[in-house]
Amino acid sequence: MPDLAAGPTAPPTPPIPLAELLAREELGLRRIAGPADAELLWVHTSEMADPYPYLLGGELLLSAGVLLTDPDTYVARLVEAGAAALGFGVRPVHDTVPAELVAACDRHGLPLLEVPPETPFTAIARAVWRLMAEARLRELRRVTRAQQALATAAARTDPVPAVLHQLAVQLEGRAVLITADGEELHATGRAPAPDVRAALARLARVVAPVVRPAPASATDTLGATHLSAYALGGGQGLVLTLATNRREPGDHTVAGIAVVLLSLLAAPHQGADAAGRSAALVRLLLGADPVGVAPLLGGAEQWTVVHARRSGGDPVDPLTAGALGAGLGSALVDAGRGGDAVRVLVPGGDRITPQPGWTLGASAAAPITALDVADAQASRALGRAEATRTPLAHHSADTGRGLAALIPREAAEAHARTLLAPLTEPLAETLRCWLSLHGSWDRTATALQVHRNTVRQRIARCASLLDADLDDMDVRTELWVALRQE
């Protein structure tokens, strides 16, 4: 039976192969029973006689066997709960791993690790969390590279086949665009076997808009082949199908990006949701490869990113956001979701004016290679405008004049990196905002949309990490100059 899903999500953390944990020589772990292949999702420690009710599945369960009396029942319950492996610590309860436990793990197919006395369970947990963080970072980077490649493909002369080809390359499989009648419009990648082709056609009918109600996506497997189908927007009944030999955690996200692009590219100009297309384009352009999206942005050399919120905090619908874009002279408008600000991409940079009923923050004019920087500038400017209750705030660009210009840029940047190294990005952003608003707790809280106590805690943390007196004007000045280099 196919699995149905509502749509793409952020890539989850990939599971950690047991072999990677065993390769950490400093832990001294040794597999003494059960299969070598296992994937860990998290770590749990328990000395209960039956931890079954407290397991979610995928755990490396750590225990010293305090209440171990019936190894076979104990292991059977762990397997029933979906535990991935058992780590057994020797001493002080047991001098060696009980032979009955070794036999039970072999019998039930549960990997059993011997934990030496000098290795605390917390060290194992810390190693697993570190491996998980590294795996998630690798997956996020892979998804980001795939997004950039797909956005670049969408800017080519024949974008639909280019996006399909790039999707097949990124997922190492077969990508096919199918009509509501089952006809293959475009296909790329190695041709599948007839049974796989037939299975994809059946899966495509599951998400076809002619079925009511139809899910947005569906997945299935046929032998070692993973199958996926995604309904495209635009009212044309098009379906994207994929056949791959692997299914990584971020693949669904990559496919979701392709679905958005293909929906935009395949949708007819008449009758399509122009506001939805515009919002999706803004999100893609601000997150895509800047050189690749140049053709999509036309001939403008400079762009200004504007963030906006309704002055009274009223919700924003696409028509209201579109009117704001028209007032600013741009059709590239993203109405945001929830409490997010409306974002507008405006060609040029010298005509941003206050708009009635809105609070605006505008970036400095930037080339397409710096749209991500401009997006951050606009966000900060909007926060400052809301904090100071002004209808429009511009990013204060470095003009190259003043005392800061007397310091060589490379030396200033190197000093800033060293000085601010102890701070995480959220702390640095809070400190930057707090200093720009002259140390006002309330205004900083408004600008960052957090509670004033959160601001106080973060600033106190900054002072501790930097070992600095933030009430000293000399210290504030030095930090402000350093933060301007970031």
Side-chain angles (χ1 to χ4, degrees), residues 214-235:
S217 64
T219 61
D220 203 353
T221 56
L222 185 63
T225 303
H226 299 278
L227 312 175
S228 306
Y230 301 86
L232 301 190

Side-chain angles (χ1 to χ4, degrees), residues 56-101:
L56 298 175
E59 296 93 348
L60 167 61
L61 180 67
L62 301 175
S63 175
V66 174
L67 299 178
L68 181 66
T69 57
D70 184 352
D72 189 77
T73 300
Y74 181 79
V75 172
R77 291 285 284 171
L78 294 185
V79 172
E80 185 180 355
L86 172 63
F88 194 87
V90 296
R91 292 203 295 269
V93 181
H94 296 269
D95 291 334
T96 61
V97 180
E100 297 86 351
L101 183 63

Side-chain angles (χ1 to χ4, degrees), residues 265-306:
L265 296 169
H269 182 70
Q270 298 297 327
D273 185 349
R277 286 203 311 273
S278 175
L281 276 173
V282 171
R283 294 171 193 163
L284 288 166
L285 293 171
L286 289 175
D289 174 35
V291 176
V293 302
L296 295 176
L297 291 176
E301 295 182 357
Q302 295 286 311
W303 291 82
T304 300
V305 180
V306 176

Side-chain angles (χ1 to χ4, degrees), residues 30-387:
R30 186 167 66 94
R31 183 178 62 86
I32 58 175
D37 295 331
E39 293 185 329
L40 313 178
L41 295 178
W42 34 64
V43 181
H44 182 61
T45 301
S46 175
E47 296 301 340
M48 298 182 66
D50 180 17
Y52 175 95
Y54 302 95
L55 300 182
L56 298 175
E59 296 93 348
L60 167 61
L61 180 67
L62 301 175
S63 175
V66 174
L67 299 178
L68 181 66
T69 57
D70 184 352
D72 189 77
T73 300
Y74 181 79
V75 172
R77 291 285 284 171
L78 294 185
V79 172
E80 185 180 355
L86 172 63
F88 194 87
V90 296
R91 292 203 295 269
V93 181
H94 296 269
D95 291 334
T96 61
V97 180
E100 297 86 351
L101 183 63
V102 175
C105 286
D106 273 330
R107 187 162 50 252
H108 291 283
L110 181 69
L112 175 62
L113 311 183
E114 181 186 68
V115 181
E118 62 273 13
T119 300
F121 286 175
T122 53
I124 299 173
R126 190 164 53 243
V128 171
W129 301 139
R130 186 177 297 114
L131 287 170
M132 291 177 67
E134 293 170 355
R136 179 164 178 80
L137 180 59
R138 288 195 300 270
E139 191 68 3
L140 287 172
R141 285 174 174 170
R142 184 179 75 88
V143 171
T144 299
R145 289 193 298 269
Q147 175 182 338
Q148 293 174 346
L150 290 169
T152 300
R156 293 179 179 167
T157 305
D158 200 1
V160 172
V163 169
L164 280 176
H165 172 74
Q166 193 55 241
L167 179 62
V169 169
Q170 295 296 326
L171 300 186
E172 300 179 8
R174 170 86 167 176
V176 184
L177 193 60
I178 301 177
T179 67
D181 299 328
E183 177 188 357
E184 291 189 1
L185 282 182
H186 300 282
T188 184
R190 184 186 307 178
D195 59 340
V196 173
R197 185 187 295 269
L200 280 175
R202 289 193 298 270
L203 199 62
R205 289 194 290 272
V206 173
V207 301
V210 294
V211 180
R212 290 291 185 264
S217 64
T219 61
D220 203 353
T221 56
L222 185 63
T225 303
H226 299 278
L227 312 175
S228 306
Y230 301 86
L232 301 190
Q236 303 305 295
L238 299 178
V239 175
L240 168 67
T241 62
L242 297 169
T244 61
N245 292 327
R246 61 175 175 81
R247 184 175 288 165
E248 301 296 336
D251 287 352
H252 190 52
T253 302
V254 174
I257 296 168
V259 167
V260 172
L261 281 168
L262 291 170
S263 297
L264 296 172
L265 296 169
H269 182 70
Q270 298 297 327
D273 185 349
R277 286 203 311 273
S278 175
L281 276 173
V282 171
R283 294 171 193 163
L284 288 166
L285 293 171
L286 289 175
D289 174 35
V291 176
V293 302
L296 295 176
L297 291 176
E301 295 182 357
Q302 295 286 311
W303 291 82
T304 300
V305 180
V306 176
H307 284 210
R309 284 195 184 92
R310 296 287 286 174
S311 298
D314 297 328
V316 179
D317 57 50
L319 291 177
T320 304
L324 170 66
L328 293 173
S330 175
L332 291 173
V333 180
D334 174 14
R337 290 160 289 184
D340 292 344
V342 175
R343 297 190 296 183
V344 186
L345 286 180
V346 182
D350 55 356
R351 55 180 183 176
I352 306 302
T353 57
Q355 301 295 310
W358 293 90
T359 301
L360 308 179
S363 73
I368 59 173
T369 53
L371 284 181
D372 55 340
V373 175
D375 191 41
Q377 292 175 353
S379 176
R380 293 171 187 162
L382 175 60
R384 190 166 65 254
E386 292 181 313

